[in-house]
Amino acid sequence: MRWENLAEQPVRPGSDAALFGADAVVTRTVDTPEFRGITFHEIRARSIVNRVPGASRMPFTWTVNPYRGCSHACVYCFARKTHSYLDLDTGLGFDSQIVVKTNAPELLRRELGGPRWRGGHIAMGTNVDCYQRAEGRYRLMPGIIEALRDHANPFSILTKGTLILRDLDLLTEAAAVTDVGISVSVGFTDRELWRTVEPGTPAPERRLDVIRALAERGIDCGVLMAPVIPYLGDHPDQLRATVRAIAEAGATSVTPLVLHLRPGAREWYFQWLIEHHPHLVPHYERLYASGAYAPKSYQRRITGQVHELAREYGIGPGRSGAARRIRPERETGPATAEPEQLTLL
């Protein structure tokens, strides 16, 4: 991989290690059941606030991603491609080779206090889940939230992880001084489907419990109903069951997103499809013949069905980029130190 000659060595100016700090990389394996088979690559990042490329369709400008790679192991995750930037495998390697930016909290505090930062909204969980299992070991998010709270900087978090409940007090404190947006990803409630496509995630009902807990604290929580999986999770009865469960949990909104298969994720997903549902391969080849996205007609149909169900159960569709700003955001800000692909999964 790109850094294998850097382990326990100082960074050479101008080398590929410019992504990382002077402590280079420390690789660890942890022999406990919850981390069995996972390798952690601890790095000292040089920058933690990343600017979204101008051509992106994402409804935010800045992101913070304390991890790369994700033990959630979602077969469809299109952040898989980012692992190739470090010569890491985008299949099993993405699931088990986790890059940990150990200095993320202190680095964020420094960047938020810098003269170039103007208080723009920061989105988290847009690349890989910041509340994946690694967070239970490294505890980076409390320091990150504290820095955002202390600077009254608006932020949002998207997660499938129940570990976010550990930080409820901090989130409540932050919500008292700035805009805090929380979204939980629940694409379906079918347990059999969950076990095969999202094997490392908490069960959908546990994520619904997160929504309930947030609501009890007075923190609004929307749901990204993603992905809606063609032929496996898109039957009207499945959509109804999922929206009903989301509404009953107390979500303030639901936003559907149909499965998309970018390079890196596409190959891995099709490999899974061949193994588990080979009869669907020809259907997927036709549906995704034009690229990463299903036809717009299919997307519109799913979106319409979900929005209709949301109205029936008393919740509205989500509003992209709805967070307020307590200070005007300007074009200046910290430079992006490394390429980041963005995902809502």
Side-chain angles (χ1 to χ4, degrees):
M1 63 185 71
R2 285 179 64 187
W3 58 49
E4 61 186 4
N5 65 325
L6 303 177
E8 300 180 1
Q9 296 181 25
V11 174
R12 300 191 308 276
S15 72
D16 283 340
L19 295 179
F20 317 131
D23 292 67
V25 178
V26 176
T27 298
R28 301 186 191 277
T29 56
V30 183
D31 190 22
T32 57
E34 67 268 32
F35 297 124
R36 186 161 293 135
I38 296 178
T39 299
F40 297 108
H41 303 285
E42 301 173 359
I43 69 169
R44 300 279 298 178
R46 290 190 178 276
S47 179
I48 195 66
V49 180
N50 299 283
R51 189 182 184 98
V52 178
S56 172
R57 297 185 295 176
M58 296 300 119
F60 42 79
T61 305
W62 305 101
T63 66
V64 164
N65 295 296
Y67 302 99
R68 296 180 74 159
C70 187
S71 59
H72 283 347
C74 301
V75 297
Y76 51 74
C77 182
F78 65 89
R80 290 183 176 277
K81 182 67 174 177
T82 63
H83 246 37
S84 66
Y85 302 153
L86 298 173
D87 291 339
L88 289 167
D89 176 60
T90 59
L92 289 175
F94 179 84
D95 303 338
S96 61
Q97 302 283 326
I98 311 300
V99 178
V100 184
K101 303 173 187 177
T102 57
N103 61 334
E106 63 193 80
L107 194 53
L108 177 61
R109 186 174 291 274
R110 188 178 75 197
E111 293 185 18
L112 294 180
R116 298 179 61 198
W117 184 246
R118 295 296 182 266
H121 178 96
I122 290 177
M124 292 176 283
T126 60
N127 185 35
V128 300
D129 203 319
C130 50
Y131 282 106
Q132 60 176 287
R133 273 180 285 167
E135 174 60 17
R137 171 179 171 83
Y138 288 95
R139 299 182 61 87
L140 300 180
M141 287 302 292
I144 288 171
I145 296 170
E146 287 171 354
L148 292 161
R149 176 202 63 192
D150 293 347
H151 286 272
N153 201 102
F155 65 92
S156 59
I157 297 173
L158 170 65
T159 185
K160 288 186 176 78
T162 56
L163 193 55
I164 191 174
L165 295 180
R166 180 201 63 194
D167 297 338
L168 265 181
D169 289 342
L170 283 173
L171 291 169
T172 303
E173 292 172 9
V177 297
T178 190
D179 255 357
V180 177
I182 307 295
S183 293
V184 173
S185 177
V186 184
F188 42 82
T189 54
D190 185 318
R191 286 186 63 87
E192 183 177 352
L193 183 59
W194 158 66
R195 289 181 189 279
T196 57
V197 299
E198 301 172 344
T201 66
E205 57 266 28
R206 299 287 74 81
R207 291 177 240 165
L208 295 170
D209 289 341
V210 169
I211 299 168
R212 294 186 182 93
L214 290 168
E216 289 174 0
R217 285 294 190 97
I219 299 176
D220 290 346
C221 181
V223 168
L224 183 67
M225 191 171 159
V228 176
I229 302 181
Y231 307 110
L232 294 171
D234 62 350
H235 189 277
D237 290 345
Q238 292 173 302
L239 299 179
R240 176 174 289 278
T242 301
V243 175
R244 181 175 61 243
I246 289 168
E248 291 174 350
T252 56
S253 65
V254 57
T255 304
L257 184 67
V258 172
L259 174 74
H260 53 280
L261 299 171
R262 293 183 181 177
R266 186 185 185 99
E267 296 82 0
W268 192 244
Y269 185 83
F270 266 85
Q271 182 176 327
W272 172 85
L273 199 65
I274 290 168
E275 180 180 352
H276 292 272
H277 303 282
H279 65 287
L280 291 180
V281 171
H283 298 281
Y284 269 81
E285 289 175 340
R286 287 192 294 269
L287 193 64
Y288 291 91
S290 298
Y293 295 89
K296 290 184 178 180
S297 59
Y298 177 87
Q299 296 184 53
R300 285 193 293 266
R301 175 166 63 83
I302 295 298
T303 298
Q305 288 177 302
V306 170
H307 286 176
E308 183 177 346
L309 290 166
R311 288 190 292 269
E312 179 180 338
Y313 288 108
I315 58 176
R319 293 185 298 136
S320 298
R324 301 185 306 274
R325 303 188 190 283
I326 58 171
R327 290 179 289 178
E329 183 178 12
R330 299 177 185 173
E331 289 303 310
T332 55
T336 302
E338 59 176 296
E340 293 282 3
Q341 293 284 74
L342 302 177
T343 176
L344 293 174
L345 306 177

